[in-house]
Amino acid sequence: MALAALTACAGPFQYYEGTGVHDTTAADLAGTWQNTTGTNVLLRPDGTALFARLDGQDFDFDDGWRLSGTGTWQLTDRRGGQVVRLALTTRTGVERRSPAPTATASPPPAAYVWSLHVGRDRQGGVGLFFFTGDPDAGDTYVLTRAVPGP
């Protein structure tokens, strides 16, 4: 009976295992990624990263801060799929999403680490995402490859 009560609270993403993607290379991911909210992430081939206006993941998203700065990235392969570990090492800017979060929001961190899941769309193109808010809700923050300008 106790087991039934515990598992009844578990949403579909509480035990997220990953996308099952295992064939992406670091070279496939190098380049500029963006989000519709103005986020830009540059993953350089040498493992360094530059990013602007990147929101926190999971419950940190609810605090409303957006970080800009430099850092490092590394592609890792886990049992459930590949993940990009993106680490902020030097913060160069902080913004707040609008509307402003509640007064109980945590202050923006000086250093931060994101875990971006590597996925594929129906055409086989690579995408990156992480969960926002309560992971059980399954809300995702999607980064797509930036289309080169004219």
Side-chain angles (χ1 to χ4, degrees):
M1 186 62 117
L3 180 60
L6 289 175
T7 57
C9 297
F13 294 97
Q14 184 167 349
Y15 303 107
Y16 183 70
E17 292 289 327
T19 62
V21 172
H22 295 282
D23 61 349
T24 304
T25 66
D28 293 333
L29 298 174
T32 303
W33 297 83
Q34 61 190 9
N35 179 279
T36 58
T37 63
T39 297
N40 283 292
V41 177
L42 172 60
L43 302 178
R44 295 181 176 130
D46 66 359
T48 60
L50 174 66
F51 40 94
R53 297 178 300 279
L54 186 57
D55 294 275
Q57 72 180 63
D58 297 330
F59 289 109
D60 292 335
F61 181 82
D62 296 336
D63 289 335
W65 45 257
R66 309 183 84 205
L67 302 176
S68 296
T70 60
T72 61
W73 72 280
Q74 180 179 23
L75 177 63
T76 62
D77 199 343
R78 299 179 182 172
R79 184 179 53 142
Q82 292 175 303
V83 173
V84 171
R85 183 180 179 275
L86 178 63
L88 169 70
T89 56
T90 303
R91 188 178 79 187
T92 60
V94 176
E95 295 179 23
R96 292 279 179 186
R97 278 193 324 273
S98 183
T102 64
T104 60
S106 299
Y112 194 78
V113 176
W114 291 263
S115 292
L116 306 167
H117 297 280
V118 178
R120 293 207 179 267
D121 61 23
R122 292 180 187 197
Q123 292 76 34
V126 177
L128 301 172
F129 71 94
F130 58 84
F131 293 104
T132 61
D134 184 345
D136 288 343
D139 295 329
T140 56
Y141 191 93
V142 178
L143 294 167
T144 56
R145 185 162 307 275
V147 177

